[in-house]
């Protein structure tokens, strides 16, 4: 007899986890990151449960996933986290999907798509504060900000956010956390001094959302915590519930 295996998804746990996270971070907005098919829990049902739990935003990696959320009827703000030059930016702009940008070249591509779409793109500028996984370096940052401001002045874009990603937030006390936090603050100061007026500054991933209030700023991005998971030592706190149960038949 073949063994039977199934993964059971408790969308109620996702809703409850998001409600608990919203309460935990207080005034900051919460983005439920539903990349990788909602971490294997199903992007569409995970997004629905997260929004029911009080999430303000949805986050995905690829524009195609953002468009799938729109096709499913979701009207909440959606950010595409990956800045790719050949993504379908025009359709994303038409459908009110926020786009990440980490180079002047990508901004030029997005601005051209915005002109075709007949409406400004909503940009989140990404600074690499030390993780080295996408984002403008410190040397590239002033040029990125200038390109975004030029696109804004031309009516092709609006600077909605400035963001970065922490490398070691799940290692308590790691020196890179303070270094990245200071680098992020410096990048925001430079952009604002140049004339940028971002609505949102966001840095915190799941471990930072759980343990580092200094990183919360205006919005936190939680992915694993939404489905009850964490890479922190000891795992997730007891006020989060894993949303997946895997069952199998012994043979």
């Amino acid at each position: 007899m073949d063994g039977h295996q199934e993964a059971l998804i408790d969308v109620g746990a996702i809703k409850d986890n998001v409600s608990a996270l919203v309460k935990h971070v207080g005034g900051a907005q919460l983005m439920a990151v539903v990349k990788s098919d909602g971490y294997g829990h199903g992007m569409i049902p995970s997004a629905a449960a997260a929004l029911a739990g009080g999430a303000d935003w949805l986050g995905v990696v690829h524009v195609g996933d953002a468009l799938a959320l729109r096709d499913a009827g979701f009207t909440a703000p959606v950010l595409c986290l990956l800045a790719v030059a050949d993504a379908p930016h025009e359709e994303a702009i038409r459908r009110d999907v926020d786009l990440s940008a980490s180079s002047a070249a990508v901004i030029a591509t997005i601005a051209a798509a915005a002109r075709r779409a007949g409406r400004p793109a909503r940009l989140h500028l990404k600074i690499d504060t030390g993780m080295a996984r996408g984002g403008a370096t410190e040397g590239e940052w002033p040029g990125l900000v200038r390109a975004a401001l030029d696109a804004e002045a031309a009516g092709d874009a609006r600077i909605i956010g400035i963001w970065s990603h922490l490398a070691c937030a799940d290692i308590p006390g790691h020196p890179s956390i303070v270094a990245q936090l200071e680098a992020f603050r410096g990048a925001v100061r430079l952009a604002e001094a140049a004339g940028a007026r971002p609505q949102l500054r966001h840095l915190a991933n799941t471990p930072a959302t759980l343990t580092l209030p200094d990183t919360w700023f205006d919005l936190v991005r939680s992915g694993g915590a939404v489905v009850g998971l964490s890479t922190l030592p000891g795992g997730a706190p007891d006020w989060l519930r894993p949303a997946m149960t895997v069952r199998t038949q012994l043979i």
Side-chain angles (χ1 to χ4, degrees):
M1 184 175 73
D2 292 332
H4 177 69
Q5 300 163 345
E6 60 184 358
L8 305 177
I9 308 302
D10 180 0
V11 292
I14 293 175
K15 178 183 176 182
D16 291 345
N17 288 340
V18 169
S19 294
L21 288 163
V22 168
K23 182 179 179 181
H24 176 68
V25 298
Q29 296 183 45
L30 185 133
M31 177 185 292
V33 179
V34 291
K35 66 180 184 179
S36 304
D37 195 28
Y39 292 84
H41 293 68
M43 180 176 71
I44 301 301
S46 295
L51 292 171
D56 304 282
W57 285 73
L58 297 171
V60 295
V61 172
H62 301 289
V63 170
D65 286 342
L67 297 176
L69 289 170
R70 289 288 183 252
D71 288 341
F74 295 107
T75 57
V78 177
L79 173 61
C80 178
L81 295 160
L82 185 65
V84 179
D86 60 355
H89 295 126
E90 183 180 349
E91 187 176 0
I93 294 164
R94 289 183 187 279
R95 303 189 70 181
D96 210 24
V97 172
D98 286 35
L99 298 169
S100 182
S102 56
S103 72
V106 167
I107 287 181
T109 300
I110 292 174
R115 290 191 290 275
R116 294 193 301 272
R119 60 189 299 187
R122 291 168 52 92
L123 294 178
H124 294 239
L125 309 182
K126 186 178 184 184
I127 174 76
D128 174 18
T129 53
M131 186 168 183
R133 191 181 76 183
T137 64
E138 183 180 3
E140 296 165 341
W141 181 245
L144 174 64
V145 170
R146 174 48 52 198
L149 287 168
D150 288 347
E152 195 167 65
D156 297 330
R158 290 173 56 209
I159 299 171
I160 302 299
I162 292 176
W163 74 287
S164 190
H165 195 70
L166 292 166
C168 300
D170 53 357
I171 305 174
H174 196 281
S176 68
I177 296 171
V178 172
Q180 285 196 259
L181 183 55
E182 287 309 305
F184 183 70
R185 287 178 170 145
V188 170
R189 284 194 299 269
L190 187 149
E192 291 179 343
R197 295 293 177 262
Q199 301 168 18
L200 299 170
R201 301 158 299 159
H202 49 108
L203 178 65
N205 54 7
T206 279
T209 297
L210 295 175
T211 63
L212 299 170
D214 285 351
T215 67
W216 293 351
F217 293 97
D218 305 299
L219 177 145
V220 300
R221 305 184 309 268
S222 291
V226 166
V227 296
L229 303 174
S230 169
T231 54
L232 285 162
D238 58 10
W239 46 269
L240 294 175
R241 281 194 293 142
M244 181 186 291
T245 303
V246 179
R247 300 196 310 193
T248 189
Q249 186 178 27
L250 295 177
I251 58 172

